[in-house]
Amino acid sequence: MEYQLGLIGYPIKHSLSPWIHQQFLEKTNINGKYHIDEFVPEQFENRLLQWKEAEKYHGYNVTAPYKQRIVPFLDELDETARNIGAVNTVVNQNGKIVGYNTDGIGYQRSLEKHFPEIKDNKSINILIIGAGGAARAIYYTLNQAGFHLIDIANRTLSKAEDIANLRTRESKTNLITLLQAEENLSNYDLVIQTTNVGMMPESNHSPIKLGNLKKEAIVSDIVYQPIRTNFIRDAQAIGARIHLGHSMLLFQAQFAFELWTGKSPSTEGMDEKLKKLLEG
Ligand code: ATR
């Protein structure tokens, strides 16, 4: 049997997912292909129906701008995807098309890989900057994992409030402005940048200034193009520990691959290679 996997989104011509999944197929000795299917929003419904009818697909990834738009076309959503309200992984389970979201777990796995001590310290003070889809997935997953001090800073506070309403476990979440985040930054042990500020081509911008950052804090940026954002460079200059965005990409892919094949590929050696690919 040959696994048929793939990615839908727009634009995705430069996606690194084909490279990652090809490595996983080789590492697990699974025979398969990872197809890439870029289609414009006007073609979404027609093309998606073609994918659904093509029973040959075992599963596929979904990326921007279709992570929410795909939901009504699926037969079922797993609990995490339902709560987050977005799907990045689809699995064909004997003809039943089920949506999952592996972004939050991908973030958590990558964080714990680089900073294993985090696993045993659920009482750290966390700040998430941004309240878009990625922030939703990360907040939900960290809350589920037992982290219980997670504040959210966003330009639009109502969106931060929507995210805080996702919490299922006892936790304390303050909703703050970007300016308050800047002023109170010394409170946080982990700062997670999830907005698209700093992404190419606006790579010389940051959502907040890091002057008040604790020196021993961990600073994550989920943006990976550029690989070192302005935000990350500022954090490095202060001496903070940094966590780069390509690592979340790698681990969300690992969990998707597990859902499709039942095998967990090792990511050994891939973090550095992916970083090099992104550095061009
Ligand atoms: P994703 O799905 O990648 O998380 P998104 O859902 O479009 O992306 O969310 C983008 C996030 O970046 C939002 O938190 C957005 O803030 P608003 O909720 O106020 O729109 C934030 N963002 C985008 N541009 C920004 C800017 N110039 N300054 C501050 N925040 C910005």
Side-chain angles (χ1 to χ4, degrees), residues 64 67-68 129-136 153-157 159-160 163 178 193-197 199 202 205-207 222:
K67 286 183 180 183
Q68 286 167 316
I129 303 172
R136 276 180 87 80
N154 196 44
R155 187 175 58 178
T156 314
L157 277 179
K159 283 204 216 159
I163 296 190
L178 295 173
Q193 193 312 101
T194 71
T195 76
N196 34 33
V197 180
M199 204 181 271
E202 299 199 5
H205 291 81
S206 279
I222 68 158

Side-chain angles (χ1 to χ4, degrees), residues 61-128:
N61 288 129
V62 183
T63 190
Y66 303 135
K67 286 183 180 183
Q68 286 167 316
R69 202 166 159 190
I70 195 161
V71 169
F73 296 89
L74 303 172
D75 297 326
E76 208 174 288
L77 289 187
D78 105 303
E79 195 189 340
T80 300
R82 193 167 57 244
N83 285 320
I84 294 170
V87 163
N88 79 330
T89 300
V90 173
V91 186
N92 181 345
Q93 293 172 350
N94 302 316
K96 190 167 72 176
I97 310 297
V98 186
Y100 291 83
N101 191 308
T102 71
D103 285 332
I105 295 287
Y107 177 79
Q108 188 191 344
R109 283 187 185 180
S110 73
L111 184 71
E112 290 178 353
K113 171 87 180 170
H114 291 277
F115 303 99
E117 69 277 13
I118 288 258
K119 274 189 226 170
D120 303 318
N121 196 355
K122 297 290 191 319
S123 296
I124 55 169
N125 277 298
I126 303 177
L127 174 67
I128 297 181

Side-chain angles (χ1 to χ4, degrees), residues 61-256:
N61 288 129
V62 183
T63 190
Y66 303 135
K67 286 183 180 183
Q68 286 167 316
R69 202 166 159 190
I70 195 161
V71 169
F73 296 89
L74 303 172
D75 297 326
E76 208 174 288
L77 289 187
D78 105 303
E79 195 189 340
T80 300
R82 193 167 57 244
N83 285 320
I84 294 170
V87 163
N88 79 330
T89 300
V90 173
V91 186
N92 181 345
Q93 293 172 350
N94 302 316
K96 190 167 72 176
I97 310 297
V98 186
Y100 291 83
N101 191 308
T102 71
D103 285 332
I105 295 287
Y107 177 79
Q108 188 191 344
R109 283 187 185 180
S110 73
L111 184 71
E112 290 178 353
K113 171 87 180 170
H114 291 277
F115 303 99
E117 69 277 13
I118 288 258
K119 274 189 226 170
D120 303 318
N121 196 355
K122 297 290 191 319
S123 296
I124 55 169
N125 277 298
I126 303 177
L127 174 67
I128 297 181
I129 303 172
R136 276 180 87 80
I138 291 172
Y139 179 89
Y140 177 80
T141 307
L142 293 182
N143 174 253
Q144 286 267 310
F147 292 94
H148 54 95
L149 302 171
I150 315 175
D151 292 350
I152 309 169
N154 196 44
R155 187 175 58 178
T156 314
L157 277 179
S158 59
K159 283 204 216 159
E161 198 174 346
D162 288 346
I163 296 190
N165 288 334
L166 289 174
R167 62 184 181 266
T168 52
R169 295 172 62 126
E170 182 79 17
S171 67
K172 192 167 152 283
T173 291
N174 297 303
L175 310 175
I176 59 176
T177 63
L178 295 173
L179 190 61
Q180 286 170 320
E182 240 173 53
E183 285 167 356
N184 299 317
L185 211 53
S186 60
N187 291 344
Y188 299 102
D189 308 299
L190 169 62
V191 178
I192 311 168
Q193 193 312 101
T194 71
T195 76
N196 34 33
V197 180
M199 204 181 271
M200 276 174 190
E202 299 199 5
S203 45
N204 54 352
H205 291 81
S206 279
I208 63 168
K209 294 194 194 79
L210 295 183
N212 292 329
L213 185 71
K214 244 195 238 179
K215 208 173 169 189
E216 60 279 17
I218 298 172
V219 175
S220 285
D221 196 328
I222 68 158
V223 171
Y224 54 86
Q225 277 168 325
I227 181 88
R228 279 174 206 277
T229 58
N230 207 22
F231 192 77
I232 286 290
R233 290 200 308 269
D234 287 350
Q236 253 178 327
I238 288 167
R241 295 176 289 167
I242 57 161
H243 175 228
L244 303 178
H246 70 288
S247 183
M248 172 177 169
L249 178 73
L250 183 58
F251 284 94
Q252 63 75 32
Q254 184 195 45
F255 187 33

